[in-house]
Amino acid sequence: MTSVINPPRDPNTLSNYNNFLTTHTSVNFNIDFKKKTIGGKVALTLQSITDAAAKEILLDTSFLQLKDVVLDGKTPKWELLPRFEPYGSALKISLEDGVQYGKSVQLEMTTETTKECTAVQWLTPAQTRSEHPYMFTQCQAIHTRSVFPCQDTPDVKGTVQFNIESALPVIASGLATGVKDLGRSAGGATGTKLYTFEQNIPIPSYLFALASGDVAKAPIGPRSVVATGPKELKAAQWELEESTEEYIETVEKIVFPYQWTEYNVLVLPPSFPYGGMENPVYTYATPTMISGDRENVDVIAHELSHSYSGNLVSNASWEHFWLNEGWTTYLERRLQAALHGEPHRDFSAIIGWKALEDSVKLFGDSHEFTKLVVDLKGKDPDDAFSSVPYEKGYTFLSYLERQVTKEKWNEYIPHYFTTFARKSLDSYDFKANLLSFFASDTATSKVLNDVDWDSWFYTPGLPPKPLFDSSIVDDCYDLASKWETGKFDPKQEDIEGWSANQVVVFLDTVQAYAKPLDNRATQKMGSIYGFAKSQNVEVVSRYYQVALTAKDDEVYKPTAELLGNVGRMKFVRPLYRLLNEADRALAVETFEKNREFYHPICRNLIEKDLFGKGIKS
Ligand code: BES
Ligand code: ZN
């Protein structure tokens, strides 16, 4: 049993999870591609963690069509409270007698998603370049509430049973337990089937995930398959089969054995708004990862690492998101270093530091969202999303590692993940746990007490810059400085034998120079180095950023084209910002044209970026 949490530490939920905890969720849904809805019955098992004085259950909902509410077989008094932005409408269920401490109630609701649902994207056959429609959910951070009523907070964890009817194959964030033909047909060719899954490890609401479409599967390791469109399957299998099991075995050595039985990857259509999403059992990944050169599979090292940080051990609220992403970035880099050598850790950290600098510049260096621990009261966690939790979090953990020595830190890693497995924690729990682990080691205790914890947690802007081993990128810096002179004659050989990530460092360095290149220079760079035609989106999107900054109009149209083919926010948002500065009319036209292509989360954020409804324009 989870202990009493009082008062709630998550400000981004309207639920009263300090009175009740969801211990199990059973969803019985029908995926209706014609109506573009997910609907059916959801049953929550809610355990009282206070006494019978609590006379209501409050759940999160957002834009749901709610029909019936049944509590332990009876109809209670219930209402949807007025919408409270950005958190949705609380569902209030009145309890006449309250529920005794420790007792559970069964709450069954009939619910359906609506057009305003922010978690689901419905794709037409044309959008997936196939004969079938497609749908997928993206629930992190607070979008599960737009799929079904729940305690939408990472501070509550429960097991999940999925019973999903669909005319097309279904993927979920649980282990598959069966497929049953229902003997009726829906939407034409394919018969509706019932797909069942179970997730017996308690998970927070944001890890609820569904996808359905014409997907096929192929093995990529002894406990792993990749799922994607049948035409894309071979390429996806090739990209991932070499590294997946190797990654799993390596992270197992750093932490402890993998807990989720299977580690599978679903490669989504191009509008998937993230690089990857660590849905348990099935990582969701961007198709830009399938670049044909195995150069972008580090996304998998990252999402796999979330099987420990995030999925097993979760941040208690989005204010402590760095515990998810900083720890994951840390594990990801330890994993890469174990496999490819120590310099690769800093290679990746150097790219990360540039992303951190960009985020700090964009927000402003005294902005709340540049702190490690942020205040999200009244805020939408999507607005706070940036490289800060990843890179400031990584920098902090690396700093702690150096302070206590790597040898001792290596012992702490499994201790941390064992202590908090199946639980949620905040930054103060982490600090207390680390201090107590080393309590009997006087020298280390002293070092840890000397850490300026408050400053790490609450000082905005960049942290002190660590010294990086730049051996892999020195050539990239050298070449960039030649371009900085403005009088450089490039040759194809300049970048011969470079990995895509070395090119990324080169472009990042050029982009960071105070004085932009002139457009003749960027045109030469694009053609002589082949960046303008690169198939690697990490490369081509950065090249476009450099050229857009130089107001090189040769890239305006290709940028607009890329913006119609890729929906990953990491690429889309900076490109829209720069295209907007270079040619606002084209930026607006491109957005209007591709509005339906983007996932609702991405669409909302571009809208804020372009039309200034958000924090930054
Ligand atoms: N969990 C995140 C994605 C996310 C964060 C979704 C916040 C919704 C809200 C995922 O693990 C992630 O960090 N993805 C990265 C990939 C990476 C660092 C390799 C991304 O999408 O860029
Ligand atoms: Zn992540």
Side-chain angles (χ1 to χ4, degrees):
M1 202 187 86
T2 321
S3 60
V4 180
I5 302 156
N6 200 13
R9 43 182 176 175
D10 181 356
N12 301 148
T13 176
L14 300 175
S15 74
N16 60 338
Y17 79 92
N18 51 338
N19 292 132
F20 293 91
L21 291 179
T22 308
T23 55
H24 182 73
T25 302
S26 171
V27 299
N28 302 271
F29 280 154
N30 185 283
I31 295 175
D32 190 328
F33 284 104
K34 279 220 177 97
K35 276 169 62 189
K36 300 191 174 168
T37 58
I38 310 175
K41 281 199 170 126
V42 182
L44 304 183
T45 307
L46 291 156
Q47 187 180 44
S48 168
I49 52 165
T50 50
D51 55 29
K55 290 288 195 288
E56 62 190 28
I57 296 170
L58 291 166
L59 298 177
D60 292 298
T61 84
S62 180
F63 301 121
L64 290 177
Q65 182 76 45
L66 199 58
K67 291 187 194 116
D68 272 320
V69 177
V70 179
L71 185 73
D72 282 342
K74 296 196 205 96
T75 306
K77 216 175 110 203
W78 64 271
E79 62 175 317
L80 278 179
L81 301 182
R83 216 182 141 81
F84 178 67
E85 293 295 352
Y87 303 130
S89 323
L91 165 61
K92 180 174 147 185
I93 297 149
S94 305
L95 302 166
E96 265 166 35
D97 305 319
V99 182
Q100 238 185 324
Y101 178 90
K103 286 257 156 39
S104 291
V105 290
Q106 270 293 107
L107 180 66
E108 205 178 270
M109 296 161 289
T110 307
T111 176
E112 195 171 38
T113 59
T114 61
K115 276 207 166 28
E116 281 85 25
C117 175
T118 50
V120 186
Q121 187 173 21
W122 298 91
L123 295 166
T124 61
Q127 285 172 309
T128 62
R129 297 193 190 94
S130 78
E131 296 93 67
H132 300 281
Y134 196 101
M135 65 76 71
F136 67 92
T137 61
Q138 167 54 50
C139 289
Q140 196 181 10
I142 56 166
H143 299 281
T144 315
R145 63 191 69 178
S146 78
V147 184
F148 61 89
C150 58
Q151 294 182 315
D152 200 5
T153 166
D155 212 2
V156 174
K157 292 182 167 189
T159 50
V160 184
Q161 170 70 37
F162 303 77
N163 304 317
I164 312 293
E165 292 179 16
S166 177
L168 291 167
V170 176
I171 303 273
S173 45
L175 292 166
T177 50
V179 184
K180 223 165 71 193
D181 214 319
L182 293 175
R184 32 189 170 90
S185 84
T190 330
T192 299
K193 290 184 181 151
L194 173 68
Y195 297 81
T196 56
F197 309 83
E198 59 185 25
Q199 183 47 266
N200 291 330
I201 300 180
I203 56 167
S205 59
Y206 78 91
L207 293 177
F208 175 90
L210 286 178
S212 186
D214 179 26
V215 294
K217 294 174 188 171
I220 50 169
R223 39 188 156 170
S224 308
V225 298
V226 61
T228 193
K231 281 183 279 187
E232 290 83 31
L233 189 62
K234 272 245 125 43
Q237 184 185 29
W238 181 85
E239 203 87 32
L240 300 173
E241 67 190 354
E242 194 184 65
S243 49
T244 305
E245 179 62 17
E246 194 173 56
Y247 280 154
I248 305 174
E249 287 174 14
T250 309
V251 76
E252 285 183 317
K253 281 187 211 130
I254 300 171
V255 193
F256 49 59
Y258 182 73
Q259 302 284 297
W260 305 84
T261 313
E262 295 175 21
Y263 179 78
N264 305 317
V265 179
L266 173 68
V267 179
L268 285 113
S271 62
F272 184 60
Y274 292 97
M277 175 65 212
E278 66 270 26
N279 297 132
V281 183
Y282 260 101
T283 279
Y284 284 19
T286 170
T288 62
M289 180 182 70
I290 312 301
S291 46
D293 52 12
R294 294 181 174 153
E295 290 236 41
N296 291 304
V297 290
D298 40 2
V299 173
I300 298 303
H302 179 92
E303 303 313 332
L304 168 68
S305 298
H306 272 304
S307 307
Y308 302 87
S309 42
N311 297 6
L312 213 51
V313 173
S314 312
N315 51 213
S317 81
W318 304 112
E319 300 189 320
H320 303 272
F321 185 47
W322 79 272
L323 287 169
N324 273 20
E325 296 301 343
W327 262 108
T328 298
T329 305
Y330 178 83
L331 289 180
E332 173 200 343
R333 289 183 184 151
R334 289 292 307 268
L335 199 166
Q336 298 289 15
L339 279 173
H340 307 296
E342 275 307 310
H344 278 266
R345 176 167 170 185
D346 279 9
F347 182 20
S348 171
I350 285 168
I351 297 176
W353 184 267
K354 166 68 167 53
L356 176 61
E357 285 178 337
D358 287 350
S359 291
V360 169
K361 211 178 281 162
L362 195 65
F363 283 130
D365 63 8
S366 57
H367 196 281
E368 180 66 28
F369 296 163
T370 65
K371 296 178 184 173
L372 201 54
V373 180
V374 292
D375 179 359
L376 288 181
K377 267 187 263 3
K379 304 264 166 66
D380 182 344
D382 280 344
D383 290 335
F385 182 77
S386 79
S387 292
V388 172
Y390 294 74
E391 300 302 337
K392 208 174 195 176
Y394 169 79
T395 308
F396 184 41
L397 293 172
S398 296
Y399 166 78
L400 291 172
E401 175 201 315
R402 271 195 310 278
Q403 297 307 103
V404 308
T405 74
K406 189 165 174 187
E407 212 184 345
K408 290 185 184 178
W409 183 257
N410 284 348
E411 285 167 31
Y412 176 65
I413 296 173
H415 175 76
Y416 170 73
F417 288 105
T418 306
T419 311
F420 296 107
R422 303 183 179 216
K423 298 195 175 80
S424 309
L425 83 160
D426 60 26
S427 304
Y428 322 114
D429 296 328
F430 163 64
K431 176 182 169 186
N433 182 255
L434 180 62
L435 291 172
S436 92
F437 183 71
F438 288 110
S440 57
D441 174 341
T442 330
T444 310
S445 286
K446 163 134 191 15
V447 160
L448 286 173
N449 279 306
D450 285 346
V451 169
D452 190 349
W453 290 86
D454 280 356
S455 174
W456 276 101
F457 285 169
Y458 307 119
T459 305
L462 292 172
K465 186 172 178 176
L467 272 179
F468 293 120
D469 169 351
S470 61
S471 52
I472 301 178
V473 296
D474 284 336
D475 289 351
C476 316
Y477 292 154
D478 284 350
L479 184 62
S481 64
K482 289 180 188 156
W483 281 86
E484 197 188 12
T485 62
K487 311 186 268 292
F488 177 61
D489 195 20
K491 292 189 205 57
Q492 217 181 333
E493 299 86 80
D494 296 343
I495 59 161
E496 209 167 80
W498 283 20
S499 68
N501 274 336
Q502 284 175 301
V503 172
V504 161
V505 171
F506 164 72
L507 287 167
D508 276 354
T509 312
V510 171
Q511 176 74 354
Y513 287 140
K515 191 165 158 272
L517 298 186
D518 71 46
N519 53 12
R520 275 194 326 263
T522 59
Q523 282 165 15
K524 260 197 210 163
M525 184 187 284
S527 60
I528 294 176
Y529 293 165
F531 295 163
K533 296 213 164 64
S534 169
Q535 291 304 301
N536 190 316
V537 190
E538 296 280 355
V539 169
V540 83
S541 68
R542 280 182 177 80
Y543 168 64
Y544 289 166
Q545 289 186 47
V546 168
L548 286 170
T549 309
K551 304 279 183 307
D552 169 359
D553 59 9
E554 280 196 10
V555 301
Y556 294 5
K557 259 181 82 189
T559 301
E561 248 161 58
L562 185 72
L563 287 169
N565 289 326
V566 174
R568 182 175 172 188
M569 294 197 282
K570 173 182 164 188
F571 303 127
V572 166
R573 291 186 68 194
L575 286 176
Y576 264 115
R577 264 184 229 120
L578 289 171
L579 188 62
N580 190 37
E581 280 163 27
D583 184 345
R584 175 159 174 87
L586 182 60
V588 171
E589 181 197 315
T590 306
F591 174 64
E592 295 305 343
K593 193 167 133 203
N594 296 301
R595 171 182 278 279
E596 288 309 307
F597 165 71
Y598 299 119
H599 187 278
I601 298 172
C602 178
R603 195 185 302 147
N604 286 342
L605 288 171
I606 307 170
E607 229 160 27
K608 286 182 184 174
D609 290 343
L610 283 184
F611 305 108
K613 286 180 222 152
I615 37 148
K616 280 273 151 191
S617 57

